[in-house]
């Protein structure tokens, strides 16, 4: 039996981070897709219906907060896990909770921490 | 007619007394001048504030008062130019250096008053030859606002300072955000190459990439420390003071320091007093001080022995970390606890903020932190936590 790969969407306006994260995630056995902004991310999420979204908090035009807010009100998207990423350190945990994200990662993060967090949230969904 | 005049004069005198009483009661300096700026009347507030006598004031021209000390150009402009045109002037500020009382800041209200000639004659006790029916007088109220001004200046200075501090703190958080974002990509990219995800990597390349990785971690620590230190400096750090077992925290810090030591040979010996009472301190912050001191000791000992000691003293617990490094120059004993002291020839390695942060933490616990050192033999860092 072939296990279907889990689908991930990464939303970040930093294209360099987006690039390396997609390589990392695809290499780690996921089907990962990237979007460079909030609106593009929402469009991609509707198209791919991912299992989990890695979402940057600080983005121009539409930031991670707004994206999470729209997703949590959207019948189709609201069950997708969101991990909020930010280079800000102040109260990231609280901010993540406020906008309905399921977890948070402070940039720069350890590869190990990233993969562990993704695994944990995908496992929670499976139950 | 002859009978009536004294009656009128007594009415006038009563009216004048009424006016004089009002003026005398004022806490503000008050002058009545004739149109030639001669002082007709002044109150005691004026004499007291400006340290002049009634004798030297009444009947004299205002610019001549106090040997010409009142010959203030801005005041003469008010009385000779502005007032005749406007009739009434409020809140006219003048700063002037007086010989006896120094620099004064005055807030003036002035107004013109026309009175019938015969009344003016009584008030000013002068006979006027002019044809006019009325005589012009000037009422001048002088408020000494020197102190209020200096308070305002101080308030403004504090306001500017506060906004500068806020701008600095905002700037630092913005910069640190801008530094962390690219660091995330560099870190992940380096890891990908190092792990061979992008293709085979030989040992020489691995060595270089590992060095890069270590420095990325170091840069990350530096950015964190800048934020931590800035927050402490701004007094925005909260301390979670609870009863804790210092020995337990030291053992944990020891473990963490050993991990940090990694490949470096480090021999950390603990000599912990077993009579230590429980102390009130912020566990995470004291842990940070301990790991900082231990990491420094590992960095400087180059394989030598490091001894961590605790001992109970009268005033509190004394903790020391002794290394067998090359020692610190005496003129750096104080400087190394300042941020980025390596810039002043007191090289300590690390991020340049570790000891500065440690000092802030220890001081916040009302303890002391200092170093003793002997060149060539090593240094001992001490700190105390009060009971």
């Amino acid at each position: 039996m072939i296990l279907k790969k889990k689908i991930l969407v990464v939303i970040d306006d930093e294209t360099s981070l987006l690039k390396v994260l997609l390589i990392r995630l695809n290499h780690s056995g996921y089907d990962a897709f990237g979007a460079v902004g909030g609106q593009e991310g929402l469009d991609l999420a509707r198209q791919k219906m991912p299992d989990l979204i890695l979402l940057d908090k600080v983005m121009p035009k539409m930031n991670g907060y707004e994206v999470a807010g729209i997703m949590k009100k959207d019948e189709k998207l609201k069950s997708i896990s969101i991990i909020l990423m930010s280079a800000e350190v102040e109260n990231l945990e609280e901010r993540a909770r406020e906008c309905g994200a399921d977890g948070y990662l402070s940039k720069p993060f350890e590869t190990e921490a990233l993969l562990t967090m993704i695994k944990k949230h995908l496992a929670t969904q499976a139950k | 007619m002859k009978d009536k005049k004294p009656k009128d004069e007594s009415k006038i005198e009563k009216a004048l007394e009424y006016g004089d009483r009002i003026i005398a009661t004022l806490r503000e300096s008050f002058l009545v001048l004739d149109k030639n700026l001669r002082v007709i009347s002044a109150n005691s507030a004026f004499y007291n504030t400006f340290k002049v006598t009634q004798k030297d004031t009444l009947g004299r021209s205002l610019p001549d008062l106090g040997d010409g000390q009142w010959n203030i150009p801005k005041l003469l402009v008010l009385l000779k130019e502005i007032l005749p045109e406007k009739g009434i002037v409020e809140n006219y500020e003048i700063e002037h250096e007086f010989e006896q009382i120094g620099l004064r800041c005055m807030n003036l209200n002035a107004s013109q008053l026309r009175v019938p000639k015969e009344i003016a004659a009584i008030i000013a006790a002068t006979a006027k030859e002019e044809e006019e029916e009325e005589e012009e007088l000037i009422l001048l109220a002088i408020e000494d606002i020197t102190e209020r001004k200096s308070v305002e200046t101080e308030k403004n200075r504090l306001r500017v300072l506060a906004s500068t501090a806020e701008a600095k703190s905002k700037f630092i958080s913005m910069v640190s955000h801008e530094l962390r974002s690219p660091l995330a990509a560099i870190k992940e990219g380096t890891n990908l190459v190092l792990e061979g995800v992008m293709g085979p990597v030989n040992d020489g390349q691995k060595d270089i990439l590992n060095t890069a990785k270590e420095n990325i971690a170091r840069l990350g620590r530096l950015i964190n420390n800048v934020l931590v230190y800035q927050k402490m400096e701004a007094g925005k750090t909260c301390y979670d003071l609870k009863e804790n077992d210092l020995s337990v925290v030291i053992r944990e810090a020891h473990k963490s320091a050993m991990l940090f030591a990694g490949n470096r040979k480090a021999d950390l010996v603990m000599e912990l007093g077993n009579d230590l009472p429980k102390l009130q301190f912020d566990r995470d912050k004291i842990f940070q001080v301990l790991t900082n001191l231990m990491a420094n000791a590992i960095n400087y000992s180059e394989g030598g022995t490091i001894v961590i000691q605790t001992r109970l003293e009268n005033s509190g617990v004394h903790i020391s970390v002794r290394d067998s490094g090359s020692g610190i120059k005496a003129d750096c004993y104080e400087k190394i606890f300042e941020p980025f002291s390596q810039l002043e020839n007191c090289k300590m390695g690390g991020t340049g903020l570790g000891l500065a942060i440690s000092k802030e933490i220890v001081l916040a616990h009302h303890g002391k932190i200092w170093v003793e050192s002997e060149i060539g033999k090593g240094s001992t860092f001490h700190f105390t936590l009060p009971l």
Side-chain angles (χ1 to χ4, degrees):
Chain A
M1 186 180 112
I2 301 164
L3 273 173
K4 198 173 160 281
K5 279 187 182 177
K6 294 283 185 187
I7 299 169
L8 308 183
V9 161
V10 186
I11 306 172
D12 199 320
D13 61 314
E14 294 268 346
T15 49
S16 45
L17 183 63
L18 200 56
K19 185 164 98 185
V20 290
L21 279 183
L22 292 179
I23 297 172
R24 167 64 70 194
L25 297 172
N26 283 316
H27 180 76
S28 302
Y30 301 106
D31 250 345
F33 304 90
V36 288
Q39 188 55 54
E40 295 88 331
L42 280 172
D43 295 342
L44 190 65
R46 290 199 176 95
Q47 184 196 334
K48 300 286 180 190
M49 288 308 294
D51 298 282
L52 181 141
I53 287 180
L54 285 168
L55 176 61
D56 184 33
K57 182 181 158 260
V58 183
M59 291 187 290
K61 288 183 204 163
M62 188 189 285
N63 65 32
Y65 258 35
E66 295 166 85
V67 174
I70 294 169
M71 282 182 58
K72 291 298 165 193
K73 277 184 206 142
D74 188 305
E75 276 307 311
K76 275 174 81 182
L77 301 178
K78 70 177 180 191
S79 60
I80 301 172
S81 299
I82 299 173
I83 295 173
L84 195 70
M85 306 182 289
S86 177
E88 293 171 319
V89 266
E90 298 288 287
N91 312 323
L92 191 52
E93 185 178 359
E94 207 183 311
R95 298 281 164 82
R97 211 182 314 124
E98 273 168 21
C99 74
D102 304 271
Y104 68 94
L105 280 169
S106 178
K107 288 179 185 177
F109 39 76
E110 300 295 332
T111 309
E112 192 62 32
L114 167 76
L115 296 177
T116 309
M117 179 155 290
I118 293 173
K119 217 180 265 175
K120 184 183 112 190
H121 285 285
L122 290 177
T124 322
Q125 284 174 359
K127 278 171 197 169
Chain B
M1 282 297 275
K2 274 200 169 179
D3 292 332
K4 243 190 163 184
K5 212 176 180 187
K7 220 176 176 185
D8 274 352
E9 272 188 17
S10 94
K11 268 188 190 168
I12 292 171
E13 270 159 23
K14 283 229 166 91
L16 287 177
E17 194 193 337
Y18 171 75
D20 279 343
R21 286 287 177 93
I22 291 176
I23 295 170
T25 315
L26 287 176
R27 291 166 61 105
E28 212 169 71
S29 300
F30 196 89
L31 297 174
V32 182
L33 312 173
D34 69 12
K35 68 172 182 181
N36 299 318
L37 306 185
R38 277 188 337 125
V39 181
I40 295 169
S41 177
N43 65 354
S44 55
F46 177 79
Y47 300 130
N48 292 337
T49 307
F50 295 99
K51 309 265 181 281
V52 284
T53 60
Q54 190 170 3
K55 190 174 137 265
D56 294 334
T57 306
L58 292 183
R60 301 186 62 174
S61 158
L62 184 66
D64 295 339
L65 288 190
D67 293 330
Q69 277 197 67
W70 280 85
N71 194 0
I72 307 166
K74 203 177 166 189
L75 178 61
L76 298 181
V77 168
L78 168 73
L79 299 175
K80 289 182 172 168
E81 293 171 28
I82 304 174
L83 191 61
E85 192 185 308
K86 294 195 167 167
I88 188 159
V89 176
E90 286 183 343
N91 295 318
Y92 186 85
E93 279 189 21
I94 293 179
E95 243 184 48
H96 185 68
E97 178 95 36
F98 291 94
E99 231 166 70
Q100 264 193 306
I101 54 170
L103 185 71
R104 294 279 113 178
C105 198
M106 299 171 281
N107 189 21
L108 274 58
N109 278 7
S111 88
Q112 277 183 324
L113 177 69
R114 298 184 79 86
V115 294
K117 207 169 182 176
E118 64 259 38
I119 293 179
I122 298 170
I123 299 172
T126 51
K128 294 283 166 187
E129 287 160 16
E130 285 129 43
E131 307 265 307
E132 287 160 53
E133 285 295 299
E134 285 182 324
E135 175 82 16
E136 217 168 74
L137 299 179
I138 296 172
L139 306 179
L140 185 64
I142 308 169
E143 186 189 2
D144 182 3
I145 55 166
T146 314
E147 304 224 325
R148 200 174 77 203
K149 269 274 166 182
S150 78
V151 169
E152 272 172 25
T153 314
E154 181 61 14
K155 268 189 193 161
N156 274 335
R157 203 179 63 82
L158 291 177
R159 211 172 292 141
V160 168
L161 264 184
S163 68
T164 311
E166 202 166 300
K168 182 180 152 201
S169 130
K170 209 173 164 190
F171 176 75
I172 290 176
S173 7
M174 261 170 57
V175 167
S176 73
H177 175 262
E178 291 310 305
L179 290 173
R180 279 157 176 275
S181 292
L183 205 55
I186 298 170
K187 190 171 185 171
E188 194 54 42
T190 310
N191 283 346
L192 283 172
V193 179
L194 187 60
E195 288 167 32
V197 175
M198 311 312 290
V201 190
N202 68 33
D203 286 349
Q205 291 165 336
K206 257 187 200 161
D207 186 34
I208 300 286
L209 287 169
N210 270 319
T211 308
K213 195 178 166 176
E214 270 173 34
N215 281 280
I216 291 163
R218 185 173 146 200
L219 198 50
R221 282 199 302 273
L222 172 60
I223 298 166
N224 283 345
N225 279 347
V226 168
L227 278 172
V228 167
Y229 185 70
Q230 187 267 325
K231 215 172 149 189
M232 283 180 170
E233 228 193 351
K236 286 185 186 165
T237 303
C238 299
Y239 285 85
D240 182 18
L241 296 180
K242 278 194 191 124
E243 201 161 82
N244 282 299
D245 188 335
L246 186 63
S247 300
V248 172
V249 181
I250 291 178
R251 283 195 194 93
E252 280 172 18
H254 176 260
K255 244 188 241 170
S256 159
M258 291 303 280
L259 279 178
F260 167 81
N263 300 334
R264 273 166 289 207
K265 277 185 207 140
D267 187 12
L268 274 89
V269 181
M270 286 192 286
E271 293 173 5
L272 308 184
N274 46 21
D275 54 349
L276 294 190
K278 293 225 167 158
L279 292 171
Q280 291 272 341
F281 61 88
D282 184 314
R283 200 174 192 286
D284 291 347
K285 303 243 169 29
I286 292 301
F287 177 82
Q288 202 181 343
V289 174
L290 289 163
T291 47
N292 238 320
L293 296 181
M294 290 183 205
N296 279 346
I298 292 166
N299 270 336
Y300 286 95
S301 286
E302 288 147 10
T305 303
I306 293 154
V307 183
I308 301 141
Q309 279 182 321
T310 57
R311 128 171 131 246
L312 183 62
E313 290 174 352
N314 285 338
S315 56
V317 177
H318 181 141
I319 304 104
S320 64
V321 179
R322 189 175 79 223
D323 65 43
S324 44
S326 55
I328 298 164
K329 289 184 291 179
D331 57 346
C332 289
Y333 288 0
E334 304 269 334
K335 275 187 198 157
I336 52 170
F337 293 102
E338 289 165 16
F340 301 111
S341 57
Q342 68 265 39
L343 300 177
E344 299 186 58
N345 286 325
C346 291
K347 192 152 176 55
M348 279 298 294
T351 65
L353 280 169
L355 287 176
I357 290 172
S358 299
K359 183 182 172 184
E360 290 283 338
I361 293 173
V362 172
L363 291 185
H365 284 84
H366 305 289
K368 286 183 194 143
I369 187 164
W370 71 99
V371 67
E372 287 169 354
S373 186
E374 204 176 325
I375 298 292
K377 289 204 168 168
S379 309
T380 308
F381 282 85
H382 303 268
F383 73 94
T384 58
L385 288 175
L387 290 175

